[in-house]
Amino acid sequence: MKYNEIRRQCRAVRVGETLIGGNAPIAIQSMTNTDTADVDATLEQVKRLEAAGCDIVRVSVPTIESAVAILAIKNAGVRIPIVADIHYDYRIALRCAELGFDKIRINPGNIGQDDRVKAVCDACRRKHIPIRIGVNSGSLERHILAKHGAPTAEALCESALYHASLLEKFDFEDTVISIKASTVSEMIRANRILAQSCSYPLHLGVTEAGGGNRGLIKSAVGIGSLLCDGIGDTIRVSL
């Protein structure tokens, strides 16, 4: 069966009150560009995105202190699911799970040894919080980059499945995967490979797309091509 004959079927993941995957509509995501610790500015952007019809909002959480912003956002009556974007410190992920974020974005390989990955999996499982694995062309593991010689589509897919296996090791499969590349053709090819390699919902986007019309065109081609293939369960345009 060709890609464009039917939408790829995958498991469903619940993010707050929004479903990603399964037979759910494509979920539209965006992100704030504030200092998350600036509660008033962050809350104002989240409210604007919710009013515009956005389904999910991602905020950067670089410190444990910035995670506390979620309390004000939730207490303000905001219903849109909030994703915590975390890169290296597993303790921030644990705090975000405790405070009530609706999804956590990490690279499991970046947060340390198995006991730390397990701690994050356990915390998210207790609170029914899904994890998004984010892989991009600038963050490939050295052994994968050495094997492929460049951040090819195959290398990106191998990295994504490697990170997923770190969560599966601790019986965690409430997972969404994103593979992003600044080269549109590689982003498309990587997601096509990944779509045939796993049943996880896929988050689509072009990283470092640029600004203005250039960024819009690159994002439209990359995301649109995959959606026409029946691939993709949630999307975010980054400009």
Side-chain angles (χ1 to χ4, degrees):
M1 182 174 291
K2 296 180 180 178
Y3 283 110
N4 58 4
E5 290 179 351
I6 190 170
R7 182 175 166 193
R8 167 183 175 265
Q9 294 300 300
C10 65
R11 68 185 69 191
V13 169
R14 182 172 293 279
V15 183
E17 297 182 2
T18 299
L19 279 179
I20 297 177
N23 293 316
I26 306 297
I28 308 300
Q29 301 197 30
S30 190
M31 67 184 113
T32 59
N33 61 5
T34 59
D35 175 356
T36 304
D38 184 342
V39 173
D40 290 338
T42 303
L43 177 58
E44 191 270 337
Q45 285 198 0
V46 170
K47 285 183 173 179
R48 285 171 54 198
L49 289 168
E50 184 175 46
C54 188
D55 296 306
I56 300 170
V57 177
R58 191 205 79 181
V59 301
S60 176
V61 188
T63 65
I64 289 179
E65 291 74 22
S66 61
V68 179
I70 190 66
L71 298 178
I73 292 171
K74 297 289 189 181
N75 289 337
V78 171
R79 297 178 62 85
I80 189 169
I82 309 295
V83 181
D85 186 14
I86 299 156
H87 288 274
Y88 296 103
D89 193 337
Y90 83 106
R91 295 170 298 178
I92 300 175
L94 297 179
R95 182 62 171 151
C96 286
E98 177 187 357
L99 289 171
F101 278 87
D102 299 291
K103 184 168 73 169
I104 290 175
R105 183 270 192 192
I106 59 170
N107 278 358
N110 288 347
I111 62 173
Q113 300 173 345
D114 278 3
D115 60 334
R116 297 182 178 183
V117 177
K118 183 179 185 301
V120 174
C121 288
D122 290 345
C124 288
R125 186 185 299 105
R126 283 194 298 270
K127 293 293 189 74
H128 305 288
I129 298 171
I131 294 174
R132 175 169 75 87
I133 296 168
V135 174
N136 63 61
S137 53
S139 64
L140 287 178
E141 295 72 26
R142 290 182 181 178
H143 70 280
I144 292 177
L145 193 58
K147 174 181 175 181
H148 294 274
T152 62
E154 291 81 6
L156 290 166
C157 187
E158 183 174 337
S159 177
L161 294 175
Y162 162 69
H163 285 295
S165 73
L166 296 180
L167 301 184
E168 292 165 356
K169 185 175 182 179
F170 301 108
D171 299 318
F172 191 94
E173 296 185 344
D174 200 10
T175 304
V176 179
I177 299 180
S178 70
I179 287 182
K180 297 182 179 181
S182 55
T183 303
V184 175
S185 59
E186 287 299 292
M187 174 266 189
I188 293 172
R189 200 159 68 87
N191 278 280
R192 285 175 174 166
I193 296 170
L194 186 62
Q196 295 182 315
S197 303
C198 72
S199 61
Y200 292 116
L202 302 185
H203 169 128
L204 304 183
V206 178
T207 192
E208 299 176 2
N213 289 334
R214 176 182 175 84
L216 289 172
I217 291 169
K218 290 179 70 174
S219 295
V221 172
I223 294 171
S225 296
L226 289 165
L227 292 179
C228 286
D229 284 346
I231 297 171
D233 304 286
T234 182
I235 66 172
R236 193 184 77 236
V237 175
S238 303
L239 297 177

